[in-house]
């Protein structure tokens, strides 16, 4: 039996698919879509599901996440129904539905998301204020702002928090999309092999290179998207290196001979270089998207949901502050570096705590969907 | 300046204009029928057959054209430009500019010897550019007046035509001529054009030689056969596998028009049936969103096509690509039966191009136009022949897309309304 | 306008205009197009005179693309200078020259 949700289309329209009811189901969008493939057609089927209220069908469509909103469908739609916007709105809807207890709904309301971000920032700020140490202004030592133990524990707690929620939500999503698995059974050995193979395809082609994205027409957008991703990764590596250096390699350096042999300063130098590169490309990428969303000259950027702005601005602030820390250290302006560090921690805290419920979750859901898709493709290719 | 007077001026000599003129003339009104082109007949005379009966279009149109030419109450002027239409109290003053044909209309006997010797070959617009015509040409075999004209832009002034003309009709010294017509009422019957699909880059923007407009295919199927047979333009091959794309520009907010062009579904089915009759074992696929068989005998016509083997596939064609080697074509669509994206190969693709009004100068015709550029009817449901201006009436497709039977009905209605208007004014 | 001129005009309007007004030569572009057209048509004619041929066969012999050949062939067809005589298995007609000259 199929359950229908008569309010589905209304809710999805509210999430950004304003014109979709104009669709007369001609399929032009599906046929023009560069990512549409047999067994993984998009977007017309998703439009039908939404209009008919087939919520389960919609949420079980990995295709939602195979779309990158290049906008070609919207550009050729004879009804100006903006099918690309429907895909985007349906993803927003899925993020809400996949989230634990539907909590993500908060981040898809303008007021609620701003309020919750303010609350989170206050909590983070208060935390820093309460646990702060005495600043060492002769150099930049993060542990003179917050103690090593504090950062260590807070980091661990956040990491566990993210991992648990990501896992639970990932399972929830998988339970939905597994219904769209293709027919056919493979021997267990092949299954495992395919699972691993598709995992690596996803890791290298999708996660690290976003190859499917590059199939979308506009290369500049692909580059900017990749820039944000890699900016993020590089800044993360830089922070880790810094952290390793300042913690004397997790405090293990004293106890092991091999670690003693390493010149600890090299970590700092590497961190600076990687940090500056990461900061530059990350800032470039996020400014590109902010600019695009401001001038609205592309299909995908014509309409920006509040959640898009929150996400983009938060990312931008995290990258920018992270980048500025490096700059200020480099120019010996240590007080400013500490200020940036505090701001960076607050924004990063906001970003991480909300990540599983905001546009950030795209990343995870998309990887799961692409993994699923690659696996299914291996299944039929055999 | 020449001056003429009559009861009604009919602008546009398509089947609508001809019908309105004949009806008025038979009620003893004096009519002047104006057409901007070198021949009357409009679209219909150039069609192959008509749906849903598959009657020969020119066999129906030609007698009416001939009757209007010979009718004592009708004067036909062709190859001209309307300069102005002015209303004075109860009369209209229409100023026209008769363009020079460089051939004396009263002498030319339409033998066509001039075109045979003319050395210049240019695309024949009446055949949709599929074949050449000469710089001096008779528009099409049953054109009326059946008189040649010189296309000045392409004439190299060699004089060959003049030397062979048996009646010395050629007059390269002809000048344009202004004519002022006074009339009591005006009927606008300016008809339709096809949408310019070069805007649709996804369909090749007019660059793929084996992608034809429905009008071009209409000509290929015509009894006068520009190609002699049904062949495709790129290399003269007999097409074995034809794809027919519906709703090209119609119902398309993206680059075309919002409305349904009303005749494409039906003429496409007509073309498919006719092509099958000629090509026997060929495969003909019509890609559609909806088949709109709204009229009498239309649904039966569709069923007949299905029975005779025409394939109907639901799904709008999103993109056409050309194989640069063979000039074969690949169409992309989502097949609704399977929900899958399909790429299908065809020797020839025909586009059912939507229709738009020919009028592009709203100030000239005085009567109000609707948002699409068709003449706005005063009261569409109860007074469809009247326009915003008293004394100006509209006939046929100038008021919106319609097929030939509706065009003729509408033309007769306009004639009747014009007659009533004149009577009322006394 | 004198009587003599009128009769002259009646006899040959082209000549009259050329002498009287000085006909402008046709634009260069048109002249070149015509030259090209005549070259192509000559080649097609030569190919046809050696026996009935299909469009691709003529193309192979002349090195001109099939689209252009087919287009110009259709003038010959229009004035009945060629005739389709035989259908090949590939679905082409062989055209035979029947037009004299
Ligand atoms: C490819 C195709 C196939 C079709 N097949 C069928 C069919 O099978 N059966 C059917 O019922 N219908 C068919 N139709 C529709 C049919 O052609 C029209 O319904 C009909 O021809 C309309 O006649 P009309 O007189 O209103 O306009 P037209 O035939 O367009 O005539 C308009 C006339 O006005 C003249 N004109 C235009 N502008 C001016 C101006 N400014 N001044 C003076 N004169 C002007 C034009 O030169 C033309 O002669 C088809 C249409 C197309 C495009
Ligand atoms: S969204 Fe547009 S292109 Fe897609 S099926 Fe609907 S009308 Fe057609
Ligand atoms: S004079 Fe002009 S129209 Fe006449 S034959 Fe020469 S080119 Fe053709």
């Amino acid at each position: 039996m199929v359950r229908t949700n008569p309010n589905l289309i209304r809710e999805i329209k509210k999430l950004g698919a304003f014109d979709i009811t104009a669709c007369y189901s001609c399929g032009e969008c599906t046929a023009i879509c560069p990512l549409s493939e047999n067994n993984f057609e998009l977007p017309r089927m998703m439009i039908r599901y939404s209009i008919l209220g087939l919520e389960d069908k919609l949420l079980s469509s990995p295709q939602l996440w195979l779309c990158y909103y290049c906008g070609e469908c919207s550009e050729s739609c004879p009804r100006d129904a903006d099918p690309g916007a429907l895909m985007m709105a349906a993803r927003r809807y899925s993020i809400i539905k996949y989230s634990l207890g539907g909590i993500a709904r908060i981040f898809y309301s303008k007021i609620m998301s701003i309020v919750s971000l303010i609350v989170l920032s206050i909590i983070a700020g208060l935390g820093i204020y309460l646990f702060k140490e005495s600043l060492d202004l002769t150099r930049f030592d993060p542990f003179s702002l917050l103690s090593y133990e504090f950062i260590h524990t807070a980091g661990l707690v956040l990491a566990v928090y993210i991992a648990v929620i990501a896992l639970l939500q990932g399972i929830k999503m998988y339970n939905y999309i597994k219904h769209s698995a293709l027919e056919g059974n493979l021997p267990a050995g092949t299954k495992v092999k395919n699972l691993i193979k598709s995992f690596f395809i996803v890791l290298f082609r999708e996660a690290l290179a976003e190859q499917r994205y590059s199939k979308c027409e506009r290369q500049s957008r692909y580059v900017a998207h990749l820039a944000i991703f890699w900016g993020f990764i590089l800044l993360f590596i830089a922070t880790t290196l810094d952290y390793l250096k300042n913690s004397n390699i997790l405090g293990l350096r004293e106890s092991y001979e091999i670690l003693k042999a390493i010149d600890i300063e090299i970590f700092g130098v590497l961190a600076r270089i990687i940090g500056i590169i990461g900061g530059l490309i990350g800032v470039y990428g996020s400014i590109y998207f902010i600019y695009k969303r401001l001038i609205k000259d592309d299909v995908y950027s014509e309409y920006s949901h509040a959640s898009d702005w929150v996400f983009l601005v938060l990312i931008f602030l995290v990258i920018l502050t992270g980048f500025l820390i490096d700059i200020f250290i480099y120019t010996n302006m240590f007080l400013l570096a500490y200020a940036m560090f505090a701001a960076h921690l607050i924004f990063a805290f906001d970003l991480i705590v909300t990540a599983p419920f905001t546009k950030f979750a795209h990343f995870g859901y998309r990887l799961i969907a692409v993994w699923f898709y690659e696996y299914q493709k291996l299944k039929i290719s055999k | 300046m020449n001056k003429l007077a009559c009861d009604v001026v009919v602008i546009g000599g398509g089947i609508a204009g001809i019908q309105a003129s004949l009806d008025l003339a038979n009620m003893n009104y004096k009519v002047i029928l104006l057409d901007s082109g070198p021949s009357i007949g409009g679209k219909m005379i150039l069609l192959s057959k008509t749906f849903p009966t598959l009657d020969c279009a020119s066999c129906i149109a030609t007698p009416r054209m001939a009757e209007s030419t010979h009718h004592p109450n009708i004067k036909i002027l062709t190859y001209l430009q309307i300069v102005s239409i002015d209303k004075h109290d109860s009369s209209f003053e229409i100023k026209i500019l008769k363009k020079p044909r460089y051939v004396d209309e009263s002498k030319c006997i339409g033998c066509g010897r001039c075109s045979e010797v003319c050395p210049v070959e240019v695309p024949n617009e009446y055949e949709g550019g599929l074949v050449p015509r000469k710089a001096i040409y008779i528009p099409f075999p049953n054109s009326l007046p059946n008189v040649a004209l010189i296309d000045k832009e392409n004439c190299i002034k060699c004089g060959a035509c003049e030397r062979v003309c048996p009646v010395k009709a050629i007059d390269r010294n002809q000048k344009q001529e202004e004519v002022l017509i006074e009339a009591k009422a005006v009927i606008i019957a300016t008809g339709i054009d096809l949408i310019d699909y070069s805007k649709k880059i996804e369909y090749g923007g007019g660059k793929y030689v084996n992608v034809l407009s429905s009008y071009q295919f209409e000509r290929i199927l015509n009894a006068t056969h520009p190609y002699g047979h049904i062949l495709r333009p790129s290399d003269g091959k007999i097409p074995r596998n034809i794809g027919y794309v519906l709703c090209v520009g119609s119902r398309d907010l993206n680059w075309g028009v919002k409305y349904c062009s009303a005749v494409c579904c039906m003429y496409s089915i007509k073309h498919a049936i006719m092509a099958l009759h000629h090509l026997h074992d060929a495969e003909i696929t019509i890609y559609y969103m909806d088949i709109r068989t709204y009229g009498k005998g239309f649904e039966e016509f569709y069923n007949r096509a299905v029975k005779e083997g025409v394939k109907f596939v639901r799904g709008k064609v999103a993109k056409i690509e050309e194989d640069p080697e063979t000039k074969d074509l690949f169409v992309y669509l989502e097949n609704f039966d399977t929900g899958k994206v399909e790429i299908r190969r065809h020797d020839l693709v025909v586009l059912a191009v939507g229709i738009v009004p020919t009028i592009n100068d709203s100030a000239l015709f005085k009567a109000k136009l609707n948002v699409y550029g068709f003449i706005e009817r005063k009261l569409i449901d109860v007074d469809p022949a009247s326009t915003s201006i008293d004394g100006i009436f509209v006939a046929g497709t100038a008021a919106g897309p319609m097929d030939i039977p509706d065009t003729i009905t509408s033309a007769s209605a306009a004639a009747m309304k014009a007659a009533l208007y004149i009577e009322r004014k006394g | 306008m004198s009587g003599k001129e009128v009769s002259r005009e009646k006899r040959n309007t082209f000549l009259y205009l050329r002498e009287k007004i000085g006909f402008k030569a046709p634009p260069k572009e048109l002249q070149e197009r015509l030259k090209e057209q005549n070259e192509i048509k000559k080649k097609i004619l030569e190919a046809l005179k050696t026996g009935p041929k299909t469009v691709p066969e003529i193309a192979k012999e002349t090195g001109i693309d099939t689209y252009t050949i087919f287009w110009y062939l259709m003038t010959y067809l229009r004035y009945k200078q060629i005739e389709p005589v035989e259908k090949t298995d590939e679905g082409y007609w062989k055209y035979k020259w029947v037009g004299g000259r």
Side-chain angles (χ1 to χ4, degrees):
Chain A
M1 196 186 64
V2 187
R3 267 186 309 140
T4 59
N5 171 3
N7 290 321
L8 183 65
I9 189 62
R10 239 164 288 156
E11 291 188 34
I12 288 184
K13 275 176 96 164
K14 262 191 269 166
L15 288 169
F18 306 115
D19 305 322
I20 201 63
T21 32
C23 167
Y24 56 20
S25 211
C26 66
E28 178 145 357
C29 46
T30 313
I32 205 89
C33 171
L35 299 173
S36 198
E37 275 174 57
N38 269 352
N39 300 312
F40 292 94
E41 285 83 8
L42 50 143
R44 190 189 60 90
M45 219 46 125
M46 317 293 114
I47 302 172
R48 292 318 293 159
Y49 292 157
S50 311
I51 289 177
L52 295 173
L54 300 176
E55 182 173 331
D56 287 348
K57 282 272 194 193
L58 187 70
L59 295 176
S60 356
S61 303
Q63 287 100 309
L64 285 181
W65 306 94
L66 301 179
C67 156
Y68 282 100
Y69 207 167
C70 60
E72 272 192 55
C73 54
S74 298
E75 268 167 12
S76 63
C77 169
R79 296 285 301 158
D80 282 351
D82 204 349
L86 175 109
M87 296 296 282
M88 192 66 223
R91 285 193 289 272
R92 292 182 185 122
Y93 187 75
S94 308
I95 289 181
I96 296 174
K97 288 290 158 175
Y98 293 158
S99 69
L100 296 179
I103 187 176
R105 187 167 296 277
I106 293 174
F107 300 99
Y108 285 87
S109 128
K110 208 183 284 179
I111 301 169
M112 295 278 274
S113 58
I114 291 173
V115 168
S116 51
L117 282 175
I118 292 175
V119 170
L120 283 173
S121 306
I122 291 175
I123 293 175
L126 221 58
I128 295 173
Y129 180 73
L130 291 178
F131 291 94
K132 76 168 190 317
E133 312 278 314
S134 54
L135 290 183
D136 176 357
L137 286 177
T138 60
R139 63 192 188 103
F140 180 75
D141 173 11
F143 300 129
S144 72
L145 178 66
L146 289 169
S147 74
Y148 165 70
E149 287 74 24
F150 181 82
I151 292 186
H152 192 76
T153 333
L156 212 62
V157 168
L158 281 179
V160 171
Y161 159 85
I162 282 282
V164 169
I165 295 193
L167 189 70
L168 291 176
Q169 293 189 165
I171 291 174
K172 199 165 169 190
M173 176 199 189
Y174 176 73
N175 276 333
Y176 272 113
I177 64 170
K178 71 175 181 207
H179 298 296
S180 53
L182 301 176
E183 297 287 322
N185 232 329
L186 299 173
T190 325
K191 260 189 197 166
V192 174
K193 219 179 85 196
N194 282 355
L195 215 53
I196 296 171
K197 194 166 162 194
S198 47
F199 176 77
F200 279 105
I201 294 177
V202 172
L203 184 66
F204 289 111
R205 285 212 210 127
E206 186 59 25
L208 302 184
E210 303 187 350
Q211 207 185 48
R212 286 172 54 78
Y213 204 139
S214 72
K215 275 207 216 169
C216 273
E217 255 189 340
R218 274 168 213 79
Q219 286 298 313
S220 63
R221 191 173 150 225
Y222 163 63
V223 170
H225 201 268
L226 206 59
I228 292 198
F229 175 75
W230 276 101
F232 229 79
I233 296 278
L234 292 182
L235 281 174
F236 183 74
I237 294 175
T239 316
T240 313
L241 286 173
D242 249 335
Y243 180 70
L244 287 176
K245 176 193 148 200
N246 290 320
S247 66
N248 248 332
I249 315 190
L250 303 171
L252 296 173
R253 193 151 178 262
E254 306 309 312
S255 358
Y256 293 97
E257 282 301 313
I258 333 168
L259 293 180
K260 257 188 210 155
I262 301 174
D263 178 8
I264 196 97
E265 288 310 313
I266 199 92
F267 280 76
V269 175
L270 273 178
R272 287 295 82 77
I273 295 171
I274 295 175
I276 285 175
I277 296 174
L280 279 175
I281 63 177
V283 166
Y284 162 74
S286 32
I287 287 184
Y288 174 91
F289 279 105
I290 290 174
Y291 174 71
K292 279 293 198 181
R293 285 196 182 275
L294 284 175
I295 62 166
K296 305 176 190 297
D297 69 336
D298 250 328
V299 179
Y300 76 92
S301 62
E302 234 165 65
Y303 166 75
S304 301
H305 192 265
S307 58
D308 297 323
W309 280 119
V310 168
F311 173 66
L312 204 50
V313 171
L314 220 49
I315 283 220
F316 175 66
L317 289 176
V318 170
I319 294 178
L320 185 71
T321 48
F323 182 43
L324 286 179
I325 300 174
D326 278 342
I327 302 278
F328 288 134
I329 296 176
Y330 206 66
T331 51
N332 291 336
M333 297 151 112
F334 297 124
L335 189 61
L336 280 174
Y338 284 116
M340 276 307 123
F341 184 49
H344 183 68
L345 287 179
I346 292 173
F347 293 135
F349 178 76
D350 290 351
L351 192 66
I352 292 170
V353 171
T354 60
F357 315 117
T358 60
K359 205 177 175 184
F360 210 107
H362 254 93
F363 184 64
Y365 293 132
R366 176 160 281 146
L367 289 187
I368 296 176
V370 176
W371 189 5
F372 180 84
Y373 154 83
E374 292 290 353
Y375 179 72
Q376 298 298 330
K377 266 208 330 198
L378 286 177
K379 197 162 159 183
I380 34 176
S381 74
K382 285 291 140 62
Chain B
M1 195 189 294
N2 256 333
K3 277 198 178 157
L4 298 169
C6 65
D7 293 315
V8 183
V9 161
V10 177
I11 303 174
I15 194 64
I18 293 171
Q19 185 64 41
S21 304
L22 282 175
D23 286 352
L24 283 164
N26 288 333
M27 290 189 274
N28 246 331
Y29 293 98
K30 298 268 180 229
V31 178
I32 294 181
L33 175 57
L34 307 175
D35 201 299
S36 53
S39 166
I40 58 165
K43 289 275 158 336
M44 183 176 174
I45 187 64
L46 294 154
L47 301 181
S48 50
K49 296 190 173 179
T50 59
F51 60 75
T53 46
L54 292 187
D55 288 322
C56 150
S58 63
C59 311
I60 306 171
T62 312
R64 285 172 203 242
M65 285 164 68
E67 192 188 340
S68 63
T69 319
H70 298 128
H71 204 294
N73 287 340
I74 301 178
K75 183 176 174 60
I76 297 178
L77 299 176
T78 54
Y79 208 47
L80 49 83
Q81 192 193 337
I82 313 275
V83 180
S84 63
I85 303 175
D86 290 307
K87 189 176 178 185
H88 307 291
D89 302 325
S90 59
S91 76
F92 289 89
E93 217 176 58
I94 296 112
K95 200 195 270 178
I96 61 169
L97 199 63
K98 247 182 103 23
K99 295 187 268 183
R101 295 175 87 108
Y102 303 112
V103 172
D104 188 336
E105 247 177 89
S106 60
K107 286 190 197 155
C108 176
I109 51 168
C111 68
R113 276 203 232 161
C114 48
S115 11
E116 219 160 311
V117 296
C118 173
V120 188
E121 297 184 20
V122 291
N124 185 342
E125 55 271 54
Y126 288 94
E127 303 289 3
L130 292 172
V131 295
R133 65 157 168 80
K134 299 297 183 69
I136 183 164
Y137 65 107
I138 296 173
F140 46 91
N142 29 18
S143 54
L144 272 176
N146 195 19
V147 168
L149 70 153
I150 292 180
D151 151 12
K152 193 170 146 230
E153 264 69 61
N154 288 302
C155 168
I156 56 161
K157 303 156 191 162
C158 66
C161 47
E162 187 163 33
R163 263 170 260 132
V164 298
C165 178
V167 292
K168 296 273 167 261
I170 285 148
D171 179 3
R172 200 58 173 78
N173 198 17
Q174 226 176 40
K175 297 279 178 317
Q176 64 180 32
E177 198 185 329
E178 263 193 0
V179 182
L180 197 67
I181 306 170
E182 207 178 291
K184 293 180 184 140
V186 175
I187 291 179
I188 302 178
T190 44
I192 41 167
D193 258 339
L194 295 192
I195 294 174
D196 171 17
Y197 68 88
S198 60
K199 281 182 266 179
K200 182 74 175 167
I201 315 138
E202 288 86 349
Y203 289 177
K207 284 202 301 292
Y208 304 154
V209 289
N210 286 333
V211 173
L212 300 179
S213 75
S214 44
Y215 177 71
Q216 289 174 315
F217 201 52
E218 190 79 50
R219 292 307 298 164
I220 290 184
L221 293 172
N222 196 284
T224 57
H225 284 314
Y227 286 164
H229 296 93
I230 301 181
L231 304 173
R232 65 173 196 174
S234 74
D235 55 2
K237 195 171 116 179
I238 303 165
R240 303 261 100 238
N241 185 347
I242 302 175
Y244 212 114
V245 183
L246 290 195
C247 290
V248 177
S250 310
R251 309 207 276 153
D252 196 327
L253 297 171
N254 201 289
W255 65 277
V257 296
K258 201 171 170 181
Y259 53 81
C260 165
S261 293
V263 284
C264 319
C265 284
M266 288 306 292
Y267 72 58
S268 305
I269 298 174
K270 168 186 83 177
H271 286 170
I273 290 179
M274 287 178 70
L276 263 191
H277 288 180
H278 284 279
L279 299 169
H280 307 296
D281 53 340
E283 196 173 311
I284 299 176
T285 314
I286 295 186
Y287 301 104
Y288 70 101
M289 294 197 279
D290 310 282
I291 294 288
R292 297 188 157 175
T293 51
Y294 60 94
K296 182 164 173 274
F298 287 10
E299 184 71 11
E300 288 81 348
F301 195 54
Y302 164 74
N303 290 336
R304 172 178 167 189
V306 173
K307 215 161 87 198
E308 291 189 4
V310 178
K311 305 235 161 33
F312 287 85
V313 173
R314 180 150 188 232
K316 189 170 196 290
V317 170
K319 189 163 63 168
I320 303 174
E321 272 171 8
E322 185 189 57
D323 177 343
E325 272 299 301
T326 60
K327 307 282 179 198
D328 288 349
L329 302 152
F330 297 94
V331 303
Y332 288 63
L333 72 146
E334 184 190 359
N335 184 337
F336 271 49
D337 289 339
T338 57
K340 302 230 179 307
V341 175
E342 289 181 3
I343 304 170
R344 295 173 167 228
R345 195 199 62 81
H346 293 289
D347 296 334
L348 186 72
V349 168
V350 186
L351 307 179
V353 185
I355 55 192
V356 284
T358 49
I359 304 159
N360 41 29
D361 186 353
S362 62
L364 179 59
F365 288 93
K366 298 288 184 299
K368 215 167 112 196
L369 307 184
N370 67 19
V371 285
Y372 308 120
F374 290 108
I375 304 271
E376 182 148 292
R377 293 145 147 177
K378 197 174 174 186
L379 289 164
I380 187 158
D381 28 15
V382 290
D383 193 4
S386 301
T387 67
S388 62
I389 296 202
D390 224 19
I392 298 187
F393 302 91
V394 60
T397 49
M402 58 180 96
D403 63 359
I404 293 165
D406 286 355
T407 299
I408 291 184
T409 314
S410 138
S412 292
M416 187 52 134
K417 283 288 177 186
L420 283 174
Y421 171 82
I422 293 171
E423 291 310 312
R424 210 175 54 219
K425 295 271 162 180
Chain C
M1 208 184 276
S2 78
K4 199 175 160 224
E5 268 170 337
V6 173
S7 69
R8 184 75 188 261
E9 177 189 352
K10 283 269 154 61
R11 226 176 43 244
N12 188 329
T13 55
F14 280 90
L15 210 61
Y16 166 76
L17 287 170
R18 199 167 294 150
E19 283 170 5
K20 195 74 196 163
I21 304 167
F23 245 166
K24 271 191 254 117
K28 199 157 189 104
E29 192 206 33
L30 184 58
Q31 285 182 26
E32 257 155 38
R33 187 149 50 81
L34 197 68
K35 216 172 115 201
E36 195 189 311
Q37 170 201 310
N38 289 337
E39 270 164 26
I40 294 172
K41 293 198 72 162
K42 211 172 112 209
K43 281 189 196 162
I44 296 177
L45 196 63
E46 274 164 14
L48 278 177
K49 288 220 164 137
T50 58
K53 289 198 177 72
T54 66
V55 173
E57 280 165 1
I58 302 172
K60 220 163 141 196
E61 206 170 308
T62 57
I64 304 165
D65 68 284
T66 50
Y67 174 77
T68 312
I69 289 176
F70 186 50
W71 203 74
Y72 283 118
L73 264 186
M74 289 304 109
T75 319
Y76 289 137
L77 188 75
R78 164 90 171 72
Y79 295 108
K80 302 200 167 54
Q81 288 165 304
I82 57 168
E83 240 172 38
V85 284
E86 181 197 334
K87 229 191 284 187
T88 67
D89 291 342
E90 294 86 48
Y92 294 96
W93 282 96
K94 274 191 191 298
Y95 294 97
K96 184 175 167 215
W97 181 256
V98 291
R101 256 194 283 178

